[in-house]
Amino acid sequence: MMEALQLLYLLAFLLIHGGHQAWSAGSDEQQIPAEKLLILTVATQETDGFLRFMQSAKYFNYTVKVLGMGEEWKGGDVGRTIGGGQKVRLLKDAMEDLAGQENLVVLFVDSYDLIFAGAPEELLRKFQQANHKVLFAAEGVIWPDSRLSEKYPYVRSGKRFLNSGGFIGYAPYINKLVKQWNLHDNDDDQLFYTKIYLDPLQRESLNMTLDHKCQIFQNLNGAVDEVLMKFSTDRVRVRNTVYDSLPVIIHGNINTKIYLNYLANYVPNAWTYERGCDVCDQDMVDLSQLAEFPQVRVGVFIEQPTPFLPEFLQRLLTLDYPKNKLDVFIHNNEVYHEKHLQAFWEENKNVFRSFKVVGPEEDLSQGEARNLGMDLCRRDPECDYYFSIDADVMLTNRQTLKLLMEQNRKIIGPLVTRHGKLWSNFWGALSLDGYYARSEDYIEIVQGKRVGVWNIPYMAHIYLVKGEALRNELKDRNMFVLEKLDPDMALCKKTRELTIQREKDSPSPESFHMLRAPKGVFMYVTNRHEFGRLISTANYNTSHFNNDLWQIFENPVDWREKYIHPNYTQIFTENHLEQPCPDVFWFPVLSERACDELVEEMEHYGSWSGGKHEDKRITGGYESVPTDDIHMRQINYDKEWLHFLREFISPVTLKVFSGYYTKGYAVMNFVVKYTPSRQAYLRPHHDSSTFTINIALNQKGTDFQGGGCRFHRYNCSIESPRKGWSFMHPGRLTHLHEGLPTTNGTRYIAVSFVDP
């Protein structure tokens, strides 16, 4: 009995301590030191993706050795089809010198579409816990030969299939693995590793397994729905929610590169809630240290009738940048805008270094015009930047060009949005068919709750491109034309994707060795500053004489800037109004431009009433105190004018007539024309209104003589107000008034009988 008990105790001791020894290989006490870890990767060019990979490696102090830099890539388009054998060949050569270092751990990873999310110590600890000599990344999608699926070992939980984008192991075992390579550079690396793994003898000999539960490697292909970001004070991690793991390496393989770009806007330290953007100031250009400002080709595109074009051109002119460093190219596709461009040309043709306009007579498509503008910079070795801007971008920040240059990106645009809407000039994500999808952070970026420089898949309307990028990665002179895509979508697709161009003497798809290396240029949008807004071009009717007057609904901010008096807000901030007679208030409301355009619009219409008593325009057909006028309704401006009353007159009414809340409604809204020969004055009368506004549309002493208004009850006369200023007075009972004679010239006023 005693012997049996002793035997049981001995077995229990061996089980406990044997298990402890197996686990302790991954404990802190026996952990492999970080200096025994070497990262190997293959990169033939320093693409944006490679530089991002190196930046993440530097953050965690990884030691990285790059293989193949400067070598011609002959490994095919591994993102779309088989290939990648060149990576194995380069690794095989490198391992020959490392094979004898038994304690050296080698991590081999892709670099163009991969980032680090954890430190070397965590990586080595997890590798030791796996308790194998070689550990490959795993994924849920088999590639490249689905027929091999049945040969894979059964996995009760986790991802079953090998991915060659990342693997880690001891140097002698990695060497033993890759020394078997005897194929071509354009043969498939993943198929090579897969066949070795599927051989039970090889798998056992190499002590090889897969990272089934994404402890180290997270391949995003087929797993985007499994991951989310975990934010901490100074770091952001990717968490796999299926296996509750925090992978150390994130790989945007196959069609998940855009999603990797999204994650890399945060991981590992790009942006956090506490610190904001930690990388925005890296590698910036200090323009003050340059001997002279860079040369810029500005491409302006007017592709449809666009409101406020003269204001757009004026803002372009006032950019804070040396004009002798700006070459301006304008493509105008609209006959309607030729008058605006002609006026701008005549005034500013000698302001810029060069000024070229291509008009609608050239009959260029949007894509052709944009190709032409960009190529003017590409072909000019002195062109340092290409700045493309559409006419529907209203820049309010005069420093825009300098701020974009300072960020030092190949392609970057300023965030501009449509007023009061979430519509902007970028997309945060793409749908499966390559069109708009909303990223999780889109709204907060647009609203300025997350501020930084963001890698995005699509941008339009306005962006700055480095000239050297146009002469290298973006050599294609047809960037804006692709299948059925609009020009901006074509540009972004060609820019962001790992586009492969076949050499002329390589017509066969099988000739992978003739393929050029991938490009993959990152595009960025910045919201670190306020830059401006997007104009709405929808419903822009060009049948009027001054069409922008009708934009009070579609583009209220620009309408206000153009048509409301610059001192209007001082009514409320500085009590900037006068009371020349009892309960008669005088205040600024319309800009001089608004006055001029309203008069022009009425004269263009031309059908003045003549001041007759018979008037079919009003109910009853009879006007007891008629004026020579045109109603707002006659020029289809009544809805816009009533909105003007509610937005800009009602607040003044509440200020001066405290406690009265106007409906801001008026039936009678009209422009009156006084001339000595037709109608010089208006006899005493009351208005059919609760209160009346009377806005002077031109200037006494310059445009006419005489005029004004006399209030009989108070024996108070007022000369014609300043241009753009309005009288406001009660209409009924207390304020009997008359229009004083205009003795010379023509006087115009805009009148509304409010709350009849």
Side-chain angles (χ1 to χ4, degrees):
M1 185 67 179
M2 288 295 294
E3 291 178 356
L5 287 172
Q6 287 175 343
L7 183 59
L8 285 172
Y9 282 127
L10 178 61
L11 288 172
F13 176 83
L14 289 173
L15 284 171
I16 292 170
H17 289 275
H20 172 71
Q21 288 172 355
W23 173 253
S24 66
S27 69
D28 291 338
E29 295 177 5
Q30 300 181 20
Q31 184 168 340
I32 302 169
E35 56 267 23
K36 287 296 183 180
L37 174 66
L38 175 64
I39 314 297
L40 295 179
T41 190
V42 169
T44 56
Q45 297 179 17
E46 289 190 350
T47 65
D48 287 351
F50 171 78
L51 294 174
R52 177 181 62 189
F53 163 81
M54 294 299 291
Q55 188 177 30
S56 71
K58 180 181 179 181
Y59 176 73
F60 291 110
N61 294 317
Y62 281 101
T63 301
V64 180
K65 182 177 181 181
V66 181
L67 310 177
M69 185 58 69
E71 184 175 306
E72 181 185 359
W73 175 252
K74 301 177 181 179
D77 182 7
V78 295
R80 290 184 172 87
T81 184
I82 61 171
Q86 185 173 353
K87 294 190 293 183
V88 189
R89 191 236 324 149
L90 290 168
L91 179 58
K92 177 182 177 181
D93 294 343
M95 290 308 302
E96 289 180 357
D97 297 329
L98 303 172
Q101 301 183 43
E102 294 185 1
N103 294 326
L104 178 68
V105 175
V106 173
L107 171 68
F108 182 83
V109 287
D110 289 347
S111 61
Y112 292 144
D113 55 2
L114 185 144
I115 58 173
F116 289 101
E121 294 77 13
E122 178 186 351
L123 174 72
L124 291 168
R125 173 173 53 80
K126 290 181 174 180
F127 171 59
Q128 286 180 282
Q129 288 174 352
N131 204 23
H132 283 73
K133 302 298 184 184
V134 177
L135 178 68
F136 266 80
E139 61 182 332
V141 180
I142 187 170
W143 173 267
D145 189 350
S146 60
R147 295 172 300 179
L148 297 176
S149 174
E150 295 179 357
K151 296 185 178 181
Y152 269 87
Y154 171 74
V155 176
R156 185 171 61 182
S157 175
K159 299 187 181 297
R160 187 178 170 204
F161 306 113
L162 178 145
N163 178 277
S164 63
F167 53 91
I168 185 172
Y170 290 98
Y173 289 84
I174 297 293
N175 180 62
K176 185 178 178 182
L177 174 70
V178 298
K179 70 186 298 185
Q180 301 179 48
W181 176 262
N182 59 1
L183 303 173
H184 300 97
D185 280 0
N186 60 354
D187 284 315
D188 195 72
D189 61 329
Q190 187 150 306
L191 184 60
F192 165 72
Y193 292 124
T194 297
K195 288 182 176 180
I196 293 176
Y197 175 73
L198 294 181
D199 182 336
L201 294 178
Q202 288 255 47
R203 190 164 66 244
E204 182 177 352
S205 171
L206 292 168
N207 195 2
M208 181 179 178
T209 190
L210 306 185
D211 183 19
H212 296 293
K213 296 188 176 181
C214 306
Q215 296 296 320
I216 295 177
F217 303 102
Q218 176 66 66
N219 292 296
L220 295 174
N221 184 38
V224 168
D225 293 337
E226 296 178 7
V227 302
L228 53 77
M229 284 187 288
K230 178 182 178 182
F231 288 84
S232 61
T233 302
D234 59 346
R235 289 262 304 279
V236 184
R237 294 296 298 263
V238 170
R239 176 172 170 259
N240 186 299
T241 59
V242 175
Y243 308 116
D244 195 25
S245 62
L246 297 174
V248 179
I249 294 165
I250 315 300
H251 183 201
N253 56 322
I254 311 297
N255 294 321
T256 63
K257 291 169 177 52
I258 290 175
Y259 191 67
L260 176 68
N261 293 345
Y262 162 72
L263 294 176
N265 282 328
Y266 301 91
V267 181
N269 69 319
W271 191 94
T272 62
Y273 284 103
E274 288 78 7
R275 300 161 64 103
C277 184
D278 260 4
V279 299
C280 286
D281 291 332
Q282 292 181 3
D283 301 321
M284 289 186 68
V285 172
D286 185 353
L287 295 178
S288 67
Q289 299 301 310
L290 301 180
E292 58 181 350
F293 281 99
Q295 193 70 43
V296 181
R297 169 71 64 174
V298 181
V300 175
F301 297 93
I302 309 166
E303 303 299 342
Q304 64 273 323
T306 306
F308 306 104
L309 185 69
E311 287 71 31
F312 163 84
L313 294 170
Q314 192 61 33
R315 289 184 188 275
L316 188 67
L317 187 66
T318 57
L319 276 175
D320 184 17
Y321 201 83
K323 301 302 181 288
N324 65 338
K325 290 293 183 180
L326 297 179
D327 295 290
V328 176
F329 165 82
I330 297 179
H331 175 245
N332 173 35
N333 198 39
E334 288 296 328
V335 174
Y336 166 71
H337 286 307
E338 287 188 312
K339 59 184 179 183
H340 301 126
L341 284 175
Q342 182 64 32
F344 186 74
W345 161 268
E346 290 176 357
E347 189 171 340
N348 302 290
K349 57 185 176 183
N350 297 320
V351 171
F352 304 102
R353 182 174 182 248
S354 68
F355 196 151
K356 177 181 177 65
V357 178
V358 174
E361 70 280 357
E362 298 292 335
D363 197 27
L364 295 180
S365 69
Q366 284 197 42
E368 291 169 337
R370 292 176 189 272
N371 279 337
L372 175 60
M374 181 175 278
D375 203 45
L376 288 173
C377 178
R378 182 184 289 113
R379 291 187 289 108
D380 180 2
E382 294 184 359
C383 181
D384 299 304
Y385 289 93
Y386 177 65
F387 183 48
S388 177
I389 180 170
D390 293 356
D392 59 356
V393 176
M394 197 62 73
L395 282 182
T396 58
N397 190 331
R398 297 178 62 243
Q399 306 299 320
T400 295
L401 205 46
K402 293 179 180 177
L403 291 170
L404 296 180
M405 287 180 183
E406 287 172 350
Q407 288 296 159
N408 196 22
R409 302 296 201 274
K410 290 175 183 175
I411 304 180
I412 186 169
L415 174 66
V416 287
T417 62
R418 191 164 293 170
H419 173 70
K421 300 184 183 298
L422 293 174
W423 185 287
S424 78
N425 62 321
F426 84 98
W427 296 348
L430 296 180
S431 62
L432 293 176
D433 56 357
Y435 289 88
Y436 172 78
R438 179 173 289 178
S439 61
E440 294 177 10
D441 56 2
Y442 177 83
I443 292 177
E444 292 197 348
I445 291 174
V446 168
Q447 294 178 340
K449 295 177 181 177
R450 300 189 189 188
V451 175
V453 180
W454 311 95
N455 187 335
I456 44 95
Y458 172 84
M459 65 196 313
H461 299 284
I462 177 171
Y463 42 84
L464 183 72
V465 188
K466 285 188 175 182
E468 62 182 4
L470 295 177
R471 292 183 281 273
N472 290 286
E473 296 96 331
L474 306 176
K475 288 180 181 178
D476 184 2
R477 298 178 64 180
N478 200 28
M479 291 294 291
F480 291 94
V481 177
L482 182 64
E483 301 165 352
K484 298 180 180 180
L485 299 179
D486 67 39
D488 287 318
M489 292 188 69
L491 170 70
C492 294
K493 184 178 176 66
K494 289 186 176 184
T495 299
R496 70 175 176 261
E497 290 193 351
L498 302 180
T499 48
I500 303 299
Q501 298 180 351
R502 201 172 303 283
E503 300 288 356
K504 292 180 181 178
D505 57 350
S506 176
S508 140
E510 291 76 22
S511 302
F512 290 108
H513 65 284
M514 299 303 293
L515 296 177
R516 296 179 184 169
K519 305 191 264 197
V521 175
F522 291 165
M523 297 173 289
Y524 295 89
V525 68
T526 172
N527 65 340
R528 299 187 73 188
H529 307 269
E530 288 285 340
F531 292 101
R533 56 186 172 269
L534 285 173
I535 295 289
S536 171
T537 58
N539 307 315
Y540 187 49
N541 187 338
T542 59
S543 64
H544 310 290
F545 191 77
N546 291 298
N547 301 290
D548 292 351
L549 278 170
W550 274 258
Q551 287 296 299
I552 191 170
F553 294 111
E554 290 289 342
N555 294 293
V557 175
D558 296 273
W559 192 95
R560 176 174 181 147
E561 285 190 0
K562 183 172 183 177
Y563 294 125
I564 294 301
H565 198 286
N567 296 333
Y568 173 78
T569 56
Q570 294 180 16
I571 298 171
F572 310 98
T573 60
E574 302 176 20
N575 203 34
H576 186 54
L577 49 75
E578 300 175 21
Q579 189 176 185
C581 298
D583 286 333
V584 177
F585 297 94
W586 190 19
F587 56 91
V589 64
L590 289 182
S591 68
E592 291 204 7
R593 187 65 178 271
C595 297
D596 292 342
E597 291 194 8
L598 195 53
V599 169
E600 289 172 357
E601 201 67 42
M602 293 303 180
E603 288 292 359
H604 179 70
Y605 181 75
S607 297
W608 297 95
S609 65
K612 301 174 183 177
H613 288 286
E614 293 182 5
D615 193 340
K616 296 180 180 179
R617 300 171 301 172
I618 62 175
T619 303
Y622 183 83
E623 172 62 72
S624 58
V625 187
T627 52
D628 191 8
D629 58 42
I630 295 174
H631 288 190
M632 298 295 182
R633 186 182 296 108
Q634 290 177 265
I635 62 168
N636 296 316
Y637 199 64
D638 48 327
K639 288 189 299 182
E640 289 77 9
W641 187 257
L642 288 175
H643 190 69
F644 159 73
L645 295 180
R646 288 189 291 269
E647 290 292 310
F648 300 102
I649 298 300
S650 294
V652 181
T653 307
L654 183 60
K655 177 179 176 62
V656 299
F657 296 118
S658 180
Y660 179 72
Y661 295 90
T662 175
K663 300 173 185 176
Y665 178 70
V667 176
M668 296 292 289
N669 305 287
F670 51 95
V671 171
V672 180
K673 179 179 182 178
Y674 288 114
T675 61
S677 60
R678 289 172 62 92
Q679 182 178 15
Y681 66 94
L682 191 62
R683 66 182 177 84
H685 63 283
H686 285 291
D687 296 333
S688 56
S689 68
T690 301
F691 69 92
T692 297
I693 62 165
N694 178 327
I695 307 173
L697 298 181
N698 58 348
Q699 190 66 51
K700 181 176 181 176
T702 302
D703 302 311
F704 64 92
Q705 300 294 331
C709 186
R710 179 171 180 265
F711 293 91
H712 286 245
R713 181 182 180 92
Y714 309 105
N715 193 26
C716 181
S717 295
I718 309 170
E719 290 190 355
S720 297
R722 307 175 186 101
K723 184 177 181 180
W725 284 55
S726 175
F727 286 136
M728 177 187 291
H729 60 81
R732 296 187 182 91
L733 191 61
T734 59
H735 281 65
L736 181 72
H737 58 283
E738 65 176 307
L740 299 176
T742 298
T743 58
N744 190 30
T746 304
R747 177 190 177 207
Y748 298 94
I749 59 172
V751 179
S752 286
F753 296 161
V754 187
D755 295 346

